[in-house]
Amino acid sequence: MQVSMSSQSPTAVDRRPPDQPHSCVVCQRRKVKCERKYPCANCVKHGALCEFRTPAPPRRRKRQSPDPDVLAKLKRCEDLLQGYGVKLDPPEHDRALHIPPRETTPLSRAKSEASTATKHGHAPSHDPPEHAQRKKNQPESTTYMAVSEETKHLEELLEGSDEEPRKPGPGLLQKAYDKFQGDGSGLLFGSADSGDLKELHPPAITIFRLWQTYFTSVYPLTMIFHAPTVQQQILDATSDLDNISESMEALMFAIYYGAVMALNPEECEAMFGLPQPFMMNRYLLATQQALRAAKLLKSLDIMVLQALVILLIASRHAIDPRSLWIHSGTAVRLGQRIGLHRDGTSLGLPPFEIEIRRRLWWQIVVQDTRLAELSGAGTSLLSGPFDTHLPRNINDADLKPEMGQIPQDHAGTTDMTFCMTRYEIANFLKSSNTDFFFFDGAWAKPDGALATLVEKDKAIDELENRLEEKYLKHCSDPNMTLHFLTKIFTRTAIYRMRLVAHHPRHLPDKGASMPPEEKDYLCRLNLNMLENDNIAHSNKSADKFAWYLNAYFQFPAFIYLISELRHRTRGELADRGWAAVNQAFQYRIQFITKRKDSPLFQATSALALKAWQARQIDAAVHREPEPEPPLYILTLRSYFGEPPHKGRKSSHGGSGYLQTPADSLPDSHTVDRFEQIQDDARPVADSVSGPSGDLESNPTKWSPVDWSYWDELIQNWEPQAADGNQQFDFGESISFSGQ
């Protein structure tokens, strides 16, 4: 039966004001939506009496007195903060607050708790996740732990009554400390930019192309993260650029920057329609701004550190290594604050995270060591204490974030093989620091070494055999460019170690009394290093890694060989030497055309011209035709105004090995030639071939080289950008580790 408005009693109407905002009694009881009209549709439908009543006022909660435990902990936190220089104005009621006396001071108790936490390397199981992560990331920070131990319980008590779940993020202390002190990243990257980073992202299709470039040209030589995971993160971020995290945005811009660096100018122009210098500068500034936004100097996010490491790697072509080494120190300190210098197994971290941390830390180690020796520094990161294990020789496909244990090393080549050979050599230098080589940033101090030359050769032989058995013998596929480069760089590093051990600079007479056999051996070492570098450049499939090849030119071998050619004027080694020097020049024209005014270029040019003059004199003495000057010598003569020699043409278009164009060596020949020259680098005692017998053919008296003079020239070499192209920097080439 429907109830009409006329059938309702007047009293019911009076109890329902027209503007009453509440539901009727029946709808409240049945917990259904009410129209709040008299009568409501629900009551009319069910024939019920529609009645509205004003709800009872909410019950006042009894105000509880302050919890003495909370106040006591708050007081202890204030004492700790005041002890570290933070000025606080206590509320009035704190003056009358009575806190029971304690047997120990707050600071001593906090330090004791921090010491216990540090000893175990990870937080107790009852810690909140973010607090446990901070403790794992900072296993040695007693000051931080002293305050955080106190604030941890305070946060739990203050937030224990919240009805909403606690959102992940910085704790109470971290938020307060961030407001108390600035980020400080402006010290490195200047003042913050107010521009919108979103506008600097390229279109989605270009993002994928840049990622593919980075993945194929940069990632195989660095391996500082897990590519499948990062690729998925980039895909997700690209679909919603408005909501990506600050750390992910920094990593994306760093990848853009690294990818543009790896492109050649023509590829960059085709991709963006803009010159490469413009695009590199654009993404450099964007990466710096993104790192500032991610609070680089305060962040504990490993993704932010990965972005910084990529930025440093991609900037090597344009920044003075002495300056870049200082910035590398920032990466080292950030890694230490995160705890990368401690192996993740001791911190109780998941296996996937352990492996990624190892990859990142050892890349930082190798990079910092390289920059330290280029800067002429007396120490490097290899001299410091850290216990992080080497990464595993495994593929990215073997790693999964949810895995329960790290896979075992593969017996063969993997995605990590190139990087693993570098890390094995660095680990060898670190472990040999006190036994043989006294590593000091320049690889060795032989004048203070306790080991004999025989012992050093034996140690290097053992390393070479281990690398050959574990990695190089499996790099047998000639179609795999990375296999080829792994063998090139690893064996060149071994040659470099032998050169350091045998170098005449360590002898009292600088090599004047060195036996001919030893001189031949050193000449072959330097010749093989330079030829290996030329072979790597002649392989067209390695063009995508040109940015890396250019950064590791063996300039000491170049200088040594030119110096040796002043006295070695004929024979097989002399012919090979001039061919290698000329081809190295053709691969690095920038050295001639962009830095003519540098003392290093002028000194090297004078040495080369004297060496070629000695070769001409030797031909005249033996009544032989004058040798045709190579392109290198002709170019030097044109720069210094020296006319061509009488009776000889100045054209360099003739045939012969000295005039071989830089790109004329077919790729199919590079591997065979590389294998042919490796046997020349065995120690003298094991060498099959004896002395070449051509040292005394030059009438000029043999004189030692002042290597300290060349060291000073190299260390003062300052790279500069070459009209936007990737500037090759000879100053980045004196790596005694070959890495």
Side-chain angles (χ1 to χ4, degrees), residues 671-737:
V671 177
D672 294 339
R673 177 61 185 144
F674 169 69
E675 298 296 346
Q676 290 173 5
I677 66 177
Q678 305 311 310
D679 292 336
D680 292 339
R682 289 191 297 269
V684 176
D686 301 329
S687 181
V688 177
S689 60
S692 62
D694 58 4
L695 281 177
E696 302 304 327
S697 60
N698 186 355
T700 305
K701 183 179 180 181
W702 198 94
S703 58
V705 177
D706 184 3
W707 292 105
S708 61
Y709 166 74
W710 289 103
D711 285 345
E712 182 179 356
L713 288 180
I714 293 175
Q715 290 176 11
N716 289 330
W717 177 268
E718 298 181 1
Q720 63 183 11
D723 297 335
N725 295 331
Q726 294 183 17
Q727 168 69 16
F728 175 71
D729 172 27
F730 274 85
E732 290 192 6
S733 57
I734 69 175
S735 172
F736 287 99
S737 64

Side-chain angles (χ1 to χ4, degrees), residues 478-554:
N479 298 320
M480 294 291 293
T481 305
L482 205 57
H483 290 189
F484 176 66
L485 291 182
T486 300
K487 297 172 76 172
I488 287 271
F489 276 88
T490 303
R491 288 176 177 168
T492 299
I494 297 297
Y495 299 157
R496 195 56 164 151
M497 293 181 184
R498 298 193 189 280
L499 176 61
V500 169
H502 290 259
H503 205 287
R505 70 190 307 164
H506 308 142
L507 302 177
D509 58 359
K510 304 301 180 183
S513 60
M514 184 181 293
E517 295 85 356
E518 184 74 2
K519 293 178 181 178
D520 277 3
Y521 174 62
L522 288 174
C523 182
R524 291 180 184 275
L525 278 177
N526 289 277
L527 181 57
N528 285 358
M529 292 168 62
L530 198 58
E531 287 181 333
N532 280 356
D533 183 80
N534 291 336
I535 290 173
H537 275 82
S538 67
N539 192 328
K540 288 300 180 182
S541 63
D543 285 351
K544 60 184 177 181
F545 302 123
W547 66 273
Y548 193 88
L549 298 177
N550 288 341
Y552 285 94
F553 175 62
Q554 299 299 325

Side-chain angles (χ1 to χ4, degrees), residues 330-443:
T330 302
V332 173
R333 292 294 177 265
L334 291 174
Q336 291 174 330
R337 190 178 67 180
I338 294 175
L340 299 185
H341 63 303
R342 299 303 182 202
D343 194 69
T345 54
S346 64
L347 303 178
L349 299 176
F352 179 81
E353 186 176 347
I354 292 174
E355 185 65 13
I356 299 304
R357 290 164 64 96
R358 289 173 179 173
R359 289 184 177 188
L360 179 57
W361 176 252
W362 277 97
Q363 183 62 225
I364 293 174
V365 168
V366 170
Q367 177 173 273
D368 185 74
T369 302
R370 170 72 171 170
L371 293 173
E373 57 181 312
L374 296 182
S375 305
T379 58
S380 79
L381 189 54
L382 282 181
S383 304
F386 62 87
D387 58 15
T388 306
H389 299 171
L390 290 176
R392 296 291 174 86
N393 184 36
I394 56 180
N395 295 307
D396 272 353
D398 300 320
L399 290 175
K400 293 179 175 56
E402 66 277 5
M403 65 184 185
Q405 60 181 6
I406 303 176
Q408 295 299 317
D409 283 321
H410 285 254
T413 58
T414 67
D415 300 338
M416 281 290 296
T417 297
F418 180 86
C419 291
M420 287 304 303
T421 56
R422 301 179 67 208
Y423 302 159
E424 290 270 12
I425 293 173
N427 194 44
F428 168 79
L429 295 176
K430 176 177 172 58
S431 62
S432 302
N433 190 26
T434 56
D435 296 334
F436 298 104
F437 304 109
F438 290 90
F439 186 88
D440 67 342
W443 199 78

Side-chain angles (χ1 to χ4, degrees), residues 222-485:
T222 54
M223 301 287 292
I224 63 173
F225 48 64
H226 184 236
T229 300
V230 173
Q231 177 172 287
Q232 185 59 49
Q233 290 172 333
I234 291 177
L235 290 173
D236 296 340
T238 304
S239 62
D240 189 10
L241 290 175
D242 290 325
N243 296 310
I244 60 176
S245 65
E246 293 172 337
S247 57
M248 184 64 204
E249 191 161 44
L251 181 61
M252 290 178 68
F253 277 115
I255 289 174
Y256 302 160
Y257 180 60
V260 173
M261 177 274 303
L263 294 171
N264 62 45
E266 293 75 18
E267 292 172 335
C268 185
E269 186 84 23
M271 183 179 295
F272 296 99
L274 294 168
Q276 189 178 36
F278 178 86
M279 296 308 303
M280 289 205 65
N281 186 62
R282 177 177 186 173
Y283 288 131
L284 171 61
L285 296 177
T287 305
Q288 293 173 336
Q289 183 178 341
L291 287 172
R292 284 198 303 266
K295 296 180 175 57
L296 168 67
L297 299 184
K298 286 187 175 181
S299 176
L300 298 177
D301 193 333
I302 194 173
M303 190 177 290
V304 177
L305 180 55
Q306 289 167 337
L308 176 62
V309 172
I310 295 174
L311 176 65
L312 296 175
I313 292 173
S315 298
R316 289 186 53 179
H317 71 287
I319 298 180
D320 189 319
R322 294 169 295 186
S323 300
L324 202 58
W325 181 52
I326 303 302
H327 292 295
S328 176
T330 302
V332 173
R333 292 294 177 265
L334 291 174
Q336 291 174 330
R337 190 178 67 180
I338 294 175
L340 299 185
H341 63 303
R342 299 303 182 202
D343 194 69
T345 54
S346 64
L347 303 178
L349 299 176
F352 179 81
E353 186 176 347
I354 292 174
E355 185 65 13
I356 299 304
R357 290 164 64 96
R358 289 173 179 173
R359 289 184 177 188
L360 179 57
W361 176 252
W362 277 97
Q363 183 62 225
I364 293 174
V365 168
V366 170
Q367 177 173 273
D368 185 74
T369 302
R370 170 72 171 170
L371 293 173
E373 57 181 312
L374 296 182
S375 305
T379 58
S380 79
L381 189 54
L382 282 181
S383 304
F386 62 87
D387 58 15
T388 306
H389 299 171
L390 290 176
R392 296 291 174 86
N393 184 36
I394 56 180
N395 295 307
D396 272 353
D398 300 320
L399 290 175
K400 293 179 175 56
E402 66 277 5
M403 65 184 185
Q405 60 181 6
I406 303 176
Q408 295 299 317
D409 283 321
H410 285 254
T413 58
T414 67
D415 300 338
M416 281 290 296
T417 297
F418 180 86
C419 291
M420 287 304 303
T421 56
R422 301 179 67 208
Y423 302 159
E424 290 270 12
I425 293 173
N427 194 44
F428 168 79
L429 295 176
K430 176 177 172 58
S431 62
S432 302
N433 190 26
T434 56
D435 296 334
F436 298 104
F437 304 109
F438 290 90
F439 186 88
D440 67 342
W443 199 78
K445 275 187 178 177
D447 55 346
L450 301 177
T452 64
L453 187 59
V454 174
E455 291 173 321
K456 290 183 178 182
D457 281 334
K458 181 180 178 181
I460 297 173
D461 288 341
E462 292 174 353
L463 173 64
E464 183 179 22
N465 293 335
R466 183 167 70 251
L467 293 175
E468 184 71 34
E469 187 67 24
K470 192 173 181 179
Y471 303 106
L472 300 188
K473 77 174 186 179
H474 302 289
C475 298
S476 55
D477 188 350
N479 298 320
M480 294 291 293
T481 305
L482 205 57
H483 290 189
F484 176 66
L485 291 182

Side-chain angles (χ1 to χ4, degrees), residues 40-84:
C40 71
N42 289 328
C43 291
V44 172
K45 180 179 178 179
H46 295 89
L49 178 63
C50 188
E51 182 180 8
F52 290 87
R53 295 177 184 174
T54 302
R59 184 177 57 182
R60 293 186 60 183
R61 295 183 180 180
K62 184 179 180 181
R63 185 177 181 85
Q64 297 181 353
S65 59
D67 190 335
D69 191 27
V70 174
L71 295 177
K73 290 183 179 294
L74 180 60
K75 179 62 176 175
R76 288 199 295 272
C77 290
E78 291 176 348
D79 292 341
L80 286 172
L81 291 174
Q82 289 175 343
Y84 291 111

